């Protein structure tokens, strides 16, 4: 029996709204970055990593659904445009709302709030860096989204490919930057007469994270 056209339209709406859901996940991940571990050291498996994982899932949803065909389960995805005018209108309105309001305006406002939070943290004797990092993440949502999309191979392993590429980008690009921030934090701690040796050790570890990973692989080989 052929799939009813209305059901095909509903599936099309959900698939077309997957990129918008990925944007929302990135914003929620940015907020979680500040909430857990002070934003400098986030929990593995915490809110930030889970929201980032869901962002990758939504970006690779269609290739991921094709994975079921390898188990003999047919997942026929509808093609073409949405024939129901009211469903097409819902999809367009939600996508425009996320793009123009949530990403274009709300994320910028949240970033400004976290800049203010950094000032308040400093005034209260805390560290401003966590809030500054969160603000930078929120301001770079579009760039992060484009980066994730560029890693999407479109195959059945697309989700794993994106995660692998993110690890490579994290180790080769983000970690050296984080090491520099750790050195800045150590200098601030020295100026404020706080312990700084731990941050120096973290900076050295971040600069050698690829070597440490290769060492782990060699030990379990």
């Amino acid at each position: 029996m052929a799939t009813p056209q209305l059901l095909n339209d509903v599936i099309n709406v959900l698939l077309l709204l997957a990129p918008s859901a990925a944007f929302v996940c990135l914003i929620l991940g940015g907020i979680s970055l500040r909430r857990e571990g002070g934003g400098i050291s986030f929990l593995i498996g915490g809110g930030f990593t889970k929201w980032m994982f869901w962002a990758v899932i939504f970006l690779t949803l269609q290739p991921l659904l094709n994975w079921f065909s390898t188990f003999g389960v047919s997942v026929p995805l509808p093609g073409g445009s949405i024939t129901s005018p009211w469903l097409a209108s819902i999809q367009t309105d939600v996508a425009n709302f996320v793009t123009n309001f949530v990403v274009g305006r709300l994320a910028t406002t949240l970033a400004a709030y976290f800049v203010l939070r950094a000032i308040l943290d400093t005034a209260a004797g805390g560290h401003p860096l966590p809030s500054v990092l969160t603000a930078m993440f929120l301001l770079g949502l579009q760039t992060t989204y484009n980066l994730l999309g560029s890693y999407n191979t479109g195959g059945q392993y697309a989700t794993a490919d994106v995660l692998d590429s993110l690890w490579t980008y994290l180790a080769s690009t983000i970690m050296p930057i984080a090491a520099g921030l750790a050195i800045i934090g150590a200098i601030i701690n020295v100026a404020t007469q706080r312990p700084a040796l731990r941050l120096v050790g973290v900076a050295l570890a971040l600069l050698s994270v690829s070597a440490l990973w290769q060492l782990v692989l060699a030990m379990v080989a």
Side-chain angles (χ1 to χ4, degrees), residues 110-184:
L110 289 174
Y113 163 78
F114 282 109
V115 171
L116 175 61
R117 177 65 184 270
I119 298 174
L120 297 178
D121 289 340
T122 305
H127 217 297
L129 190 56
S131 296
V132 172
L133 290 177
T134 302
M136 293 171 61
F137 182 87
L138 291 174
L139 290 175
L141 280 179
Q142 186 64 56
T143 303
T144 303
Y145 178 87
N146 294 337
L147 179 67
L148 295 177
S150 67
Y151 294 147
N152 186 2
T153 57
Q156 62 182 14
Y157 298 103
T159 303
D161 291 337
V162 173
L163 294 175
D164 287 341
S165 298
L166 279 179
W167 161 252
T168 303
Y169 181 81
L170 183 69
S172 62
T173 304
I174 300 299
M175 290 302 179
I177 297 175
L181 293 176
I183 293 298
I184 294 175

